[in-house]
Amino acid sequence: MTNHNTHEDMGLFITFEGGEGSGKTTQIKLLKYYIQSLIPDIEIVISREPGGTEVAEQIRDILVNGSADKISTRAETLLMIASRAEHIDRVILPALKRGAIVLCDRFKDSSIVYQGLANNISKEKIDKIHEFALEKCEPDLTILLDIPAETGIKRAIDRNESDQRFELKGKEFHKRIREGYLKLTTIYPERIKVINASQSVQSISDEINQLITPILKHRRHK
Ligand code: TMP
């Protein structure tokens, strides 16, 4: 499994990925409770991208509000990854160095899929920008909540939140997002685990807990 061991920490970095309305936020909360029930004294940091620091949240406002085509794809890519660099430097790496478990709602795979594959920008190009921005901060595990694009988009639009810029990008775009994520699972089969997010909230949570339990047990014995 890829990890951030170059940072000589004991932390654990778990990212959640998936299309719109795949239920990441709910599952992150449930996973936090589950981990706390197993290891009550562990520090768990929940964060999200784009966002997670004051400035990264300001960048998020630019990115997730307004019309679907208000910004060029290249500028959008750089802003997403700039907010990630800020988030890594100020939140993720310090937490991992303290030995915390970081549960992050979206990370680098979102940029590879949303800005890259869905816009016919190669993964290699996005990887090059990440090489500078990530400083080798890689997730230990990524949980991909997979759901048909139509189902997810309907759920997301029904939530009626204001930050719907990406949700307005149309059916074909969101089908490419799902295909892009599934393609990534073939590139990183060790790191990215797919879970069928069309199931009930409880069944999804049970599957995630099953995945995480052996990793936590291993971590306790480090
Ligand atoms: P959220 O709705 O999951 O909070 O994410 C906000 C939107 O930002 C979502 O539509 C996906 C998009 N996004 C990207 O396009 N690239 C990225 O790198 C990230 C982190 C998010």
Side-chain angles (χ1 to χ4, degrees), residues 20 24 49-50 60 80 84 106 110-111 114-115 166:
E20 312 303 312
K24 294 176 278 84
E49 292 199 349
R60 179 187 174 95
M80 285 287 179
R84 179 160 305 125
R106 298 192 181 281
S110 285
S111 294
Y114 278 77
Q115 281 66 53
F166 283 90

Side-chain angles (χ1 to χ4, degrees), residues 18-20 24 48-50 60 63-64 76 80-81 84 105-112 114-115 159 161 163 165-167 173-174:
E20 312 303 312
K24 294 176 278 84
R48 69 168 181 182
E49 292 199 349
R60 179 187 174 95
L63 288 165
V64 301
E76 178 181 288
M80 285 287 179
I81 299 179
R84 179 160 305 125
D105 189 338
R106 298 192 181 281
F107 191 63
K108 65 176 231 177
D109 300 312
S110 285
S111 294
I112 298 171
Y114 278 77
Q115 281 66 53
R159 282 200 302 246
E161 287 162 355
D163 52 354
R165 185 175 152 250
F166 283 90
E167 287 153 29
F173 179 83
H174 291 286

Side-chain angles (χ1 to χ4, degrees), residues 201-212:
V201 168
Q202 190 56 52
S203 305
I204 299 169
S205 169
D206 290 344
E207 279 196 29
I208 294 174
N209 294 350
Q210 270 177 23
L211 263 176
I212 300 285

Side-chain angles (χ1 to χ4, degrees), residues 108-138:
K108 65 176 231 177
D109 300 312
S110 285
S111 294
I112 298 171
V113 171
Y114 278 77
Q115 281 66 53
L117 304 181
N119 290 298
N120 294 321
I121 296 176
S122 72
K123 176 174 176 299
E124 287 67 32
K125 277 196 176 164
I126 308 286
D127 283 347
K128 268 194 193 155
I129 310 171
H130 273 144
E131 206 178 296
F132 172 69
L134 260 60
E135 294 279 5
K136 295 196 170 68
C137 177
E138 297 285 343

